[in-house]
Amino acid sequence: MIKKVFSKYAEITIWIVALICLAFVNPADKGHFSICPLKMIGFKWCPGCGLGHSIAYFFHGDITASFRTHWLGIPVVFALLYRIYTLLFLQHRYDITPS
């Protein structure tokens, strides 16, 4: 039963929590903790970190900084919101089981 509930709600929980965390993080703060493997190795630039900063800037209303940080940040927000919508409403409507 736990495995069935986890497999049904894991993806939607991950996306919602990730977007909420990015909405509350300060993207201009340079001293935050990072689990980025590229930053741990010593690289200064990481495409994933730029995407997270871009989404955080977008949630704070700074569209210019969002686009400057990573040009895919804003489209990713809308893609994730659409994915959350499909998981919440369309999956239950058509009784689609997650794969």
Side-chain angles (χ1 to χ4, degrees), residues 19-98:
L19 287 178
I20 289 172
C21 288
L22 286 172
F24 286 107
V25 72
N26 181 6
D29 185 19
K30 301 292 182 197
H32 69 280
F33 174 73
S34 177
I35 59 171
C36 176
L38 293 178
K39 288 205 187 262
M40 288 181 187
I41 294 172
F43 289 100
K44 299 288 182 195
W45 183 82
C46 171
C49 294
L51 189 62
H53 282 96
S54 177
I55 293 170
Y57 277 122
F58 177 69
F59 281 139
H60 284 91
D62 194 349
I63 305 298
T64 306
S66 174
F67 191 75
R68 214 174 327 130
T69 308
H70 199 295
W71 63 277
L72 281 176
I74 296 170
V76 165
V77 170
F78 291 111
L80 288 177
L81 290 174
Y82 179 73
R83 181 63 183 156
I84 291 169
Y85 170 77
T86 59
L87 288 171
L88 279 175
F89 299 108
L90 299 182
Q91 186 177 37
H92 299 293
R93 180 181 221 175
Y94 298 110
D95 197 34
I96 300 170
T97 57

